[in-house]
């Protein structure tokens, strides 16, 4: 088993340690259903009703009593017409009912023959052979039984969950408060998009990418802006950020350079619990506490921000936000569409695109894996995981994190 570089914490160990340290947020707000997507359910929700509430037809056709058919009857007088939203009267023995998709079966009817399998003429209908008992009937409670749990506490609500909650008639549900995440961008060189670029300057891309990823998770971004590279300014903004939010994320300034002031500021205001991971890109990642609040110091290079956020900070923030499962993105096996000849001392996350070919999926690398190249992330749809010490050839099986 290959060992990571000296003094570097392996990715899995780092994740286990920080996740054990994550404290889920508490409290609950009743929220209208239309505002619940991306929010985390605060307690289990049970259904007060059966869905569907009554047996109904899954086809346009004719409803009958199967016992009549089983006794050999093939010719039926049509005595009623029941459309969706209407309720028919009891079925007279030996007769059939014209019925439409979604209409409740009249009392006494238990089977539906689809109209394509029936010959109707002059107020009567004739059925051929092969009609099965209870055919084309959606029984009461088939989707959800009254009293059963519809959605579990700790679930991040998707559009499908919201639809499911609507199907049991709920107009509001209890959700956890949105996690408040402060973000700050360190670097004298940074200017905001829309401003002219002066000599030595670059645009602040991390701020927008991070804010977007947090909002996609349903969290509230508290944007603390740009912090110049000086120790006092860094300390001041970090402590303001800790006061304003549940958790603080910074980018840049976390390496060992003379102009990197984040680590010192964290040590002055709280504790550094983890620093330097066996991850590429993103080695200088820091985790600790600032004025009692959890803190992640992400690296400065945009691809490193993306990878460390996705692999390390994201699951932690989701746990804080109250999620009980699916903290990590789905990882699948795919085929390498590239060679990777150099073994590394850090676990690498290569920016790649997964393409399906026949019955398999092939991962192709972005040609530029430099940590400063954000275009690789925007182009890709997955990260190929290359463990420490591993090399790859075209056709090898690789683990791929789906984005
Ligand atoms: P640092 O870790 O502060 O030395 O930053 C590493 C690299 O990332 C440097 O080239 C920085 O200019 C760049 N960088 C830092 N922060 C940002 C940002 N917010 N947006 C774009 N690039 C950044
Ligand atoms: Mg910097």
């Amino acid at each position: 088993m290959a060992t990571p570089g000296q003094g570097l914490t392996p990715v899995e160990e780092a994740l286990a340690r920080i996740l054990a340290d994550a404290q889920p947020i508490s409290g609950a707000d009743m929220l209208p259903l239309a505002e619940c997507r991306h929010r985390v359910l605060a307690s289990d929700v049970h259904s007060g009703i059966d869905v569907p509430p009554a047996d109904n037809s899954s086809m346009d056709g004719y409803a009958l009593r199967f016992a009549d058919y089983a006794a050999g009857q093939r010719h039926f007088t049509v005595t009623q017409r029941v459309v969706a939203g209407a309720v028919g009267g009891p079925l007279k023995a030996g007769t059939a009912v014209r019925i439409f998709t979604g209409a409740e079966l009249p009392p006494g009817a238990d089977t539906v023959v689809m109209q394509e399998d029936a010959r109707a003429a002059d107020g009567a209908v004739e059925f051929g052979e092969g009609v099965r008992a209870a055919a084309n009937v959606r029984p009461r409670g088939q989707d959800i039984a009254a009293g059963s749990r519809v959605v579990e506490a700790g679930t991040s609500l998707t559009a499908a969950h919201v639809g499911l909650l609507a199907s049991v008639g709920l107009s509001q549900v209890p959700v956890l408060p949105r996690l408040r995440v402060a973000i700050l961008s360190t670097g004298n060189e940074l200017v905001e998009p829309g401003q002219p670029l002066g000599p030595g300057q670059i645009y602040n891309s991390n701020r927008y990418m991070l804010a977007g990823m947090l909002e996609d998770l349903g969290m509230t971004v508290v944007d603390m802006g740009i912090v110049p590279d000086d120790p006092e300014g860094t300390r001041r903004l970090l402590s303001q950020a800790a006061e304003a939010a549940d958790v603080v994320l910074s980018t840049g300034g976390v390496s060992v350079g003379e102009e990197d002031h984040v680590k010192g500021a964290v040590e002055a205001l709280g504790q550094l619990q983890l620093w330097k991971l066996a991850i590429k890109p993103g080695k200088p990642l820091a985790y600790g506490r600032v004025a009692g609040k959890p803190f992640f110091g992400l690296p400065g290079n945009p691809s490193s921000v993306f990878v460390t956020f996705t692999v390390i900070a994201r699951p932690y923030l989701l746990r804080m936000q109250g999620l009980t499962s699916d903290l990590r993105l789905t990882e699948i096996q795919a085929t390498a569409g590239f060679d990777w000849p150099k073994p590394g001392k850090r676990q690498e996350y290569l920016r790649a695109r997964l393409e399906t070919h026949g019955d398999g999926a092939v991962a192709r690398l972005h040609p530029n894996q430099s940590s400063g190249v954000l275009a690789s992330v925007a182009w890709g749809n997955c990260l190929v995981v290359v463990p420490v010490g591993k090399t790859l050839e075209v056709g090898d099986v690789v683990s791929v994190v789906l984005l």
Side-chain angles (χ1 to χ4, degrees):
M1 168 90 188
T3 50
Q6 261 209 335
L8 304 182
T9 309
V11 172
E12 289 304 323
E13 184 189 325
L15 253 180
R17 274 170 58 188
I18 64 159
L19 284 178
D21 201 37
Q23 295 293 322
I25 197 167
S26 58
D29 302 316
M30 287 306 278
L31 214 62
L33 214 48
E35 294 164 33
C36 286
R37 211 157 41 86
H38 297 319
R39 301 295 298 267
V40 178
L41 199 63
S43 49
D44 288 354
V45 170
H46 295 85
S47 178
I49 59 164
D50 284 320
V51 180
D55 294 356
N56 70 89
S57 179
S58 67
M59 290 286 173
D60 290 342
Y62 296 85
L64 65 148
R65 205 168 60 123
F66 187 75
D68 294 337
Y69 182 89
Q73 187 180 343
R74 294 293 178 269
H75 187 91
F76 291 74
T77 306
V78 178
T79 50
Q80 297 182 60
R81 188 172 183 277
V82 187
V83 297
V87 179
L91 180 83
K92 291 198 198 78
T95 73
V97 170
R98 179 74 170 121
I99 197 162
F100 297 88
T101 304
E104 290 186 9
L105 263 66
D110 55 19
T111 299
V112 172
V113 179
M114 58 196 273
Q115 61 193 21
E116 292 84 342
D117 295 340
R119 282 177 307 280
D122 303 329
V125 64
E126 211 166 286
F127 304 126
E129 298 310 307
V131 172
R132 284 170 299 104
N136 304 314
V137 174
R138 298 188 285 220
R140 171 181 181 159
Q142 179 185 51
D143 188 358
I144 298 160
S148 66
R149 187 172 63 190
V150 184
V151 185
E152 197 179 341
T155 302
S156 176
L157 299 173
T158 62
H161 290 119
V162 171
L164 196 65
L165 292 163
S167 79
V168 302
L170 293 169
S171 62
Q172 48 176 22
V173 290
V175 298
L176 291 166
R178 288 183 195 273
L179 194 68
R180 293 172 60 80
V181 187
I183 60 172
L184 40 96
S185 317
T186 74
N188 288 343
E189 72 278 33
L190 302 177
V191 279
E192 292 303 323
Q195 309 290 325
L197 206 57
Q201 296 184 318
I202 60 167
Y203 287 119
N204 183 0
S205 52
N206 288 338
R207 176 184 195 175
Y208 296 87
M209 177 172 60
L210 258 189
M213 293 192 291
L214 292 164
E215 282 166 7
D216 283 350
L217 298 179
M219 298 167 185
T220 296
V221 175
V222 182
D223 193 342
M224 306 300 291
I226 295 172
V227 191
D229 290 317
D230 75 75
E232 201 193 314
T234 306
R235 279 200 300 273
R236 190 171 58 243
L237 243 95
L238 268 181
S239 62
Q240 284 171 5
E243 216 164 286
D246 302 310
V247 50
V248 180
L249 305 184
S250 68
T251 61
V254 78
S255 286
V256 286
E258 284 164 33
E259 296 302 325
D260 294 323
H261 303 292
V262 170
K263 181 171 167 276
V266 173
E267 284 165 335
L269 298 167
Q271 316 87 45
L272 200 67
Q273 289 164 244
L274 201 64
W275 185 49
K276 288 193 175 175
L277 307 194
I279 189 169
K280 188 175 179 182
K283 177 172 81 175
L285 182 107
Y287 169 75
R289 303 250 151 197
V290 170
K293 299 282 175 62
F295 164 80
F296 285 90
L298 306 180
N301 277 306
S303 281
S304 309
V305 170
F306 181 82
V307 167
T308 52
F309 179 86
T310 302
V311 177
I312 307 288
R314 184 183 178 280
Y316 182 96
L317 296 174
L318 289 176
R319 164 99 14 117
M320 274 193 90
Q321 179 62 87
L323 243 79
T324 47
S325 61
D326 297 331
L327 297 177
R328 298 175 65 160
L329 290 164
T330 306
E331 202 165 320
I332 64 161
Q333 305 284 293
T335 304
F338 58 92
D339 291 324
W340 194 254
K342 306 182 306 258
K345 290 197 172 305
R346 292 179 274 157
Q347 181 151 301
E348 295 216 35
Y349 290 84
L350 305 173
R351 277 72 72 206
R353 196 185 267 187
L354 204 59
E355 293 166 359
T356 49
H357 287 275
D359 53 2
V362 176
R364 307 209 175 280
L365 290 194
H366 189 273
N368 194 336
Q369 295 291 325
S370 158
S371 59
V373 174
L374 192 52
S376 64
V377 175
W379 173 86
N381 62 7
C382 69
L383 295 169
V384 174
V385 187
V386 186
V388 174
K390 183 128 169 104
T391 58
L392 295 170
E393 284 177 17
V394 169
D396 283 353
V397 174
V398 286
S399 281
V400 166
V401 176
L402 301 181
L403 299 172

